[in-house]
Each structure stands twice: as structure tokens, then as C-alpha cells.
């Protein structure tokens, strides 16, 4: 009769028994050609950790690194005449800078289709990577930013458009959620139309910034 007080130091042979000690596990692994060598397990784990760390590092911009150049087009009749006090252009510029963009300028134009299109086209000709327009995306008679933007786009990016609208509704920025704003590529430039409330701008930029990085990197590969 076995001594029930003695510790188990080997394989008991019972199915599902997990009471093996480290020493007995090493013996079983070494003696069974169907098992993986512990050294290989350690090496594989180290390789996996290195892979994850490398890709996490690649997905983050080093401090101070710029993603690209950006330009802000503020569409507002009052702002164009110097009467606007909301300072949405500077706000977008600050958010772009925080996201890693160098902001070339913030241009203010009236809610006129020709003026808006000229400002956007100037940004494309100037070779900026991203142009953000603010305002003129509602349903009013003077809301013509989408109409000014669409002829300039080579490719629509409806995923960005819907992401901005969805996040706007979720954040309580009604004008952002109901925006008719477009997003797309014109030449080598990404264009995005945002609504002109502070809530819509903040939420829209939080949504657009990481997507813009992906698009700009994809464009640069061609």
C-alpha cells in the first residue's frame, strides 16, 4: 500500500493530471519526440514579443515627427469679413499640429462655391498632404462646400465620411452627424469637409487624424 503522505514527483499516468513538477515535465519533453523542446518554446515566445514590440513602435510616430503638411480652409461669411469670434481655424490648426501635421496656413473664404473650390484647389496645387475645410456642409442655401469639393476629387473615401458622421452623432455633435461633408483624394492630397461647431471640429479631427495618416502613407507608396 502506498504512502498517501508522500509527494508526487513523477507522471501519475492519470488522464488530465496536471500535478507534474517542472523536473518531470522536462524529462517527458526531452524523452518524447512528439513534444516541443522547452528551449524552442522560450525562443518562440521571445520572437513573438519582439514582433509585437516592433509593430507597435512602427504604428506610433516618434515625438516630433511630422506626418505631412496640412492646410485649413474656413468657410464662413462672417469670418471672411473679420466678424467671427469662434476662432475655428486656429482650433483646427492646433488639433492638426497635435496629430503630427505641419500646418501651412488657415485660409478664410466666404460661403461661395467658386471661392471654396479655388482655395481647395490651391492647396492641392501647393502639394499639401491634407486639407481640412470647416463649414458649409449643412442644408442651408449657403452651404455649398460639398458641391465645391466633389469636382476636385479623383476618389471618394466614403468610409471617412461615414466615420465622421457616426462619431458626430455618438458624441452629440448634431451638425457633425448630419453633415453632407465629403472626403476623398485629389491628386496626392486628402480632402475632408467638417461641420463648423466646436464639438463637430473636435470630434471630427479625433476621427480623421488616424485615418488621414493611413491614407497619406498609402498614397505615398505610389
Amino acid at each position: 500500500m502506498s504512502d498517501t503522505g508522500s509527494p508526487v514527483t513523477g507522471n501519475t499516468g492519470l488522464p488530465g493530471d496536471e500535478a507534474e513538477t517542472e523536473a518531470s515535465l522536462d524529462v517527458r519533453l526531452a524523452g518524447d519526440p512528439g513534444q516541443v523542446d522547452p528551449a524552442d518554446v522560450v525562443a518562440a515566445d521571445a520572437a513573438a514579443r519582439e514582433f509585437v514590440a516592433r509593430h507597435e513602435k512602427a504604428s506610433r510616430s516618434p515625438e516630433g515627427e511630422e506626418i505631412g503638411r496640412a492646410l485649413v480652409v474656413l468657410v464662413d461669411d462672417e469670418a471672411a469679413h473679420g466678424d467671427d469670434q469662434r476662432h475655428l481655424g486656429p482650433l483646427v490648426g492646433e488639433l492638426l499640429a497635435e496629430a503630427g501635421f505641419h500646418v501651412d496656413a488657415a485660409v478664410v473664404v466666404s460661403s461661395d462655391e467658386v471661392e471654396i473650390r479655388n482655395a481647395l484647389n490651391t492647396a492641392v496645387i501647393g502639394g499639401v498632404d491634407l486639407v481640412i475645410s470647416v463649414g458649409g456642409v449643412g442644408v442651408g442655401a449657403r452651404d455649398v462646400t460639398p458641391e465645391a469639393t466633389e469636382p476636385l476629387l479623383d476618389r471618394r473615401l466614403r468610409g471617412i465620411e461615414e466615420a465622421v458622421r457616426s462619431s458626430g452623432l455618438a458624441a452629440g455633435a448634431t451638425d457633425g452627424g448630419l453633415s453632407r461633408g465629403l472626403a476623398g483624394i485629389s491628386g496626392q492630397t486628402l480632402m475632408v469637409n467638417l461641420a463648423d461647431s466646436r464639438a463637430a471640429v473636435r470630434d471630427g479631427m479625433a476621427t480623421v487624424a488616424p485615418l488621414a495618416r493611413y491614407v497619406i502613407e498609402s498614397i505615398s507608396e505610389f
Side-chain angles (χ1 to χ4, degrees), residues 1 10 19 23 66 68 70 72 75-76 96-97 106 113 125-126 133 196:
M1 179 177 295
E66 291 182 347
V72 180
V75 181
D76 191 306
L96 283 168
E113 189 171 336
I125 295 173
S133 72
D196 61 356

Side-chain angles (χ1 to χ4, degrees), residues 82-130:
D83 299 326
D84 182 53
Q85 300 298 319
R86 292 173 297 174
H87 306 294
L88 290 178
L91 172 61
V92 182
E94 291 173 7
L95 295 173
L96 283 168
E98 290 175 4
F101 287 91
H102 171 79
V103 182
D104 282 9
V107 180
V108 182
V109 297
S110 298
S111 299
D112 177 81
E113 189 171 336
V114 174
E115 284 193 38
I116 298 168
R117 185 177 297 120
N118 287 342
L120 296 174
N121 198 40
T122 298
V124 175
I125 295 173
V128 301
D129 299 288
L130 172 65

Side-chain angles (χ1 to χ4, degrees), residues 21-203:
T21 63
E22 182 178 355
S24 63
L25 178 61
D26 289 343
V27 171
R28 182 171 61 83
L29 289 175
D32 187 344
Q35 299 295 328
V36 179
D37 191 304
D40 292 337
V41 174
V42 173
D45 181 67
R49 290 176 184 275
E50 180 183 354
F51 176 85
V52 171
R54 184 169 64 250
H55 283 264
E56 284 182 346
K57 182 178 181 180
S59 66
R60 297 191 297 267
S61 297
E63 186 175 354
E65 179 183 344
E66 291 182 347
I67 298 173
R69 295 166 53 212
L71 185 136
V72 180
V73 176
L74 180 62
V75 181
D76 191 306
D77 288 328
E78 293 182 359
H81 292 88
D83 299 326
D84 182 53
Q85 300 298 319
R86 292 173 297 174
H87 306 294
L88 290 178
L91 172 61
V92 182
E94 291 173 7
L95 295 173
L96 283 168
E98 290 175 4
F101 287 91
H102 171 79
V103 182
D104 282 9
V107 180
V108 182
V109 297
S110 298
S111 299
D112 177 81
E113 189 171 336
V114 174
E115 284 193 38
I116 298 168
R117 185 177 297 120
N118 287 342
L120 296 174
N121 198 40
T122 298
V124 175
I125 295 173
V128 301
D129 299 288
L130 172 65
V131 54
I132 297 288
S133 72
V134 179
V137 295
V139 295
R142 299 282 289 173
D143 293 325
V144 294
T145 299
E147 288 74 17
T149 303
E150 188 168 18
L152 299 176
L153 299 180
D154 300 315
R155 289 183 175 181
R156 288 273 297 276
L157 295 176
R158 289 178 171 81
I160 293 180
E161 297 170 7
E162 294 306 321
V164 170
R165 281 189 275 271
S166 296
S167 62
L169 286 174
T174 304
D175 58 338
L178 299 179
S179 167
R180 296 187 302 115
L182 305 182
I185 299 170
S186 179
Q188 296 292 302
T189 300
L190 171 62
M191 288 186 184
V192 181
N193 303 150
L194 297 181
D196 61 356
S197 69
R198 296 184 73 85
V201 166
R202 288 189 178 279
D203 181 75

